[in-house]
Amino acid sequence: YIFLGNRKILYVVCQDITGRKKMQHMLVEQQNELYVQANIDTLTGLANRTFFMSKVEEILLKDNKQLNTFSLLFLDLDNFKQINDSLGHQVGDMVLKTVANRLKKSITENSSVARLGGDEFLIIIPNVDNEKEIINQMKKILTVIEQKMSIYHYTLYISASIGVSRYPYDNLAAENLLAYADTAMYLSKEKGGNTYTFYTPDMTESAYNELIMERDLRKSIQLGEFEVYYQPQMNLLNEKLIGMEALVRWRHPTLGLLSPDMFISLAEKTGLIVELDFFVMDYAMKQVSTWYAQGLNPGKLALNMSMKGLEYSEFIPRLSKMLAMCNFEAQWLEIEMTETMLMQNPDYSIVTLNTLHEMGITIAIDDFGTGYSSLSYLKQLPIDKLKIDKSFIDDIPQDEEAVTLVNTIISLGKNLHMDVLAEGVENKNQRDYLLVLGCSKVQGYFYSKALSAEGMQSFLQSQKTSII
């Protein structure tokens, strides 16, 4: 109050703080937005890796008396890349959102879930020391995920692989627990997916060894530390050579000569298989071209090709250039692929294989009968030859079921006007029975194991025959 003379006057000072309030509100919104950006996955609304791992660190900092144990689950969707590649990222994003919602509903109240990135998720299950209970929760998660999804006009089914690490048994550090769960998850993938695997210490050593092998593999490809061996393919009607399959060996600097089963899966996993494919192709084509120039008759050169090699954008141009540089005729070459690989992307396979066929190159399906081929696609593909897998030949003629399967493949090949070759022929009984069944082209130890270039040259010279 103020007084003017004998009058008492109320004096009020007003200030408009609307702008300040608005600014404060904006700052709060910005802080919230920054918090969300830093801690929340924008696609799924789950916690992100940074926020999730900080919470794990907080748990680890608590008094050990307050914390019994916890399990860290590393979850990765199976074959998610195929959804993105075939149906587009918009459908893929909807799948991730659906999975996120299902995970939130399937975990217990005191558990937490986060999206690590891509199609990877993390789940923490605290204070559960009973392995059976952890397994029950993981089974529930896997069951929930694999339920049918209806996204746009697509009906989809998806599964997941889970790796588990446990505190304090496996490690005391958050990042190590994460790495161990990741390692265990990859073992679930190798089992075929849609399962879980608990981390064990030997997995760390295995993962380390794989890193060392990958390093050595990269270096050896650059240095060309590989050799190509050749297994003869024979015509039973006249015992003459009709061709040979090229088989790669790794001359490891410390481990010696390694067979393909020791490194091919690693080469495929790391993407190094493409350069390895081209190395073998170049090496073998030069050698076979030399044998032709020497007046020998090696027949067709059969080369195994990976799906990644076939899908490589420069595959056809690079092959064409290699044919010219090696003075190698296209009709001397046979490309082999497994039916499982072809069915991964059949529409693309049809286009590429048709191009190869038009060039005069023979196309063969390797290990036929072991995959999940589609006869409708088989009819569309320009296939010239079916190779019966060794696992069927092993049991003939004594196993009736094996005989029936082999006879069916031979009949299928004949009806589709394809050559048929039996792999893994190891004894006279197998050879004679294949002749009875009408299959006259074979390869296997009965005639020869895979030979070095020098050994194969001696074999060719001993044959002294023309191509059948």
Side-chain angles (χ1 to χ4, degrees), residues 28-41 47-48 51 54-55:
V28 170
E29 286 186 338
Q30 288 176 357
Q31 289 173 346
N32 290 338
E33 185 177 344
L34 289 173
Y35 178 86
V36 169
Q37 291 176 354
N39 298 289
I40 305 299
D41 175 59
N48 62 16
F51 182 73
S54 68
K55 288 298 181 183

Side-chain angles (χ1 to χ4, degrees), residues 335-441:
I335 297 293
E336 294 185 359
M337 298 192 68
T338 65
E339 53 185 328
T340 302
M341 289 165 55
L342 290 173
M343 290 305 111
Q344 289 176 5
N345 193 346
D347 294 328
Y348 186 90
S349 299
I350 290 172
V351 174
T352 306
L353 295 185
N354 275 327
T355 302
L356 293 173
H357 203 261
E358 290 167 3
M359 293 169 64
I361 296 170
T362 300
I363 309 298
I365 295 187
D366 197 14
D367 302 336
F368 188 78
T370 61
Y372 303 94
S373 64
S374 163
L375 291 180
S376 63
Y377 273 114
L378 185 62
K379 187 174 66 174
Q380 296 178 50
L381 290 166
I383 304 300
D384 302 292
K385 180 186 290 185
L386 302 179
K387 297 187 70 177
I388 306 175
D389 186 67
K390 179 183 182 298
S391 61
F392 300 132
I393 304 302
D394 286 342
D395 298 325
I396 66 168
Q398 66 273 12
D399 187 294
E400 290 185 9
E401 185 175 330
V403 169
T404 300
L405 286 169
V406 171
N407 197 25
T408 300
I409 296 172
I410 294 171
S411 299
L412 176 65
K414 289 180 177 179
N415 291 333
L416 294 176
H417 308 290
M418 299 175 185
D419 281 339
V420 179
L421 182 143
E423 297 180 289
V425 177
E426 297 184 348
N427 58 61
K428 186 176 183 298
N429 287 339
Q430 292 171 343
R431 183 201 66 174
D432 292 347
Y433 202 77
L434 284 166
L435 265 176
V436 171
L437 295 178
C439 178
S440 60
K441 297 177 181 180

Side-chain angles (χ1 to χ4, degrees), residues 66-258:
Q66 299 177 29
L67 177 68
N68 295 321
T69 182
F70 70 81
S71 295
L72 186 63
L73 278 55
F74 194 117
L75 184 148
D76 185 276
L77 302 182
D78 298 327
N79 302 314
F80 178 73
K81 184 177 183 297
Q82 292 183 11
I83 294 177
N84 272 341
D85 291 347
S86 59
L87 303 180
H89 288 275
Q90 189 174 9
V91 174
D93 286 349
M94 288 301 296
V95 170
L96 294 173
K97 289 181 180 180
T98 303
V99 170
N101 288 331
R102 291 181 178 183
L103 288 176
K104 284 190 289 188
K105 293 177 182 178
S106 63
I107 62 175
T108 58
E109 185 177 348
N110 60 342
S111 298
S112 302
V113 60
R115 182 184 176 213
L116 185 61
D119 60 332
E120 298 173 336
F121 297 85
L122 295 173
I123 300 169
I124 188 169
I125 304 175
N127 300 321
V128 177
D129 198 27
N130 188 313
E131 185 172 304
K132 185 177 180 180
E133 176 60 27
I134 298 170
I135 291 173
N136 288 337
Q137 292 196 37
M138 287 191 292
K139 285 181 176 179
K140 179 182 177 182
I141 289 169
L142 292 174
T143 300
V144 167
I145 289 176
E146 67 180 353
Q147 292 174 1
K148 179 177 70 175
M149 292 185 189
S150 297
I151 296 177
Y152 301 121
H153 55 282
Y154 300 107
T155 298
L156 303 175
Y157 294 89
I158 197 164
S159 61
S161 298
I162 300 176
V164 191
S165 62
R166 302 173 67 190
Y167 174 90
Y169 312 111
D170 296 328
N171 205 269
L172 303 179
E175 287 298 329
N176 289 341
L177 290 167
L178 176 61
Y180 292 170
D182 187 11
T183 300
M185 182 275 295
Y186 274 105
L187 191 58
S188 294
K189 291 282 188 187
E190 292 176 6
K191 293 176 182 176
N194 196 28
T195 190
Y196 56 85
T197 302
F198 283 87
Y199 168 79
T200 57
D202 60 300
M203 293 180 187
T204 305
E205 182 179 356
S206 174
Y208 175 76
N209 290 338
E210 185 172 293
L211 287 174
I212 298 299
M213 285 291 282
E214 180 182 345
R215 181 202 65 188
D216 291 349
L217 187 60
R218 290 183 185 277
K219 185 177 179 180
S220 291
I221 290 176
Q222 292 174 357
L223 297 176
E225 294 176 336
F226 292 87
E227 297 177 15
V228 177
Y229 277 53
Y230 306 87
Q231 185 167 39
Q233 298 176 336
M234 306 296 292
N235 188 329
L236 298 182
L237 298 176
N238 54 16
E239 302 289 305
K240 300 297 185 182
L241 181 78
I242 56 174
M244 63 190 69
E245 180 178 0
L247 301 165
V248 67
R249 302 287 188 268
W250 181 6
R251 182 67 69 180
H252 193 279
T254 58
L255 300 177
L257 194 65
L258 302 181

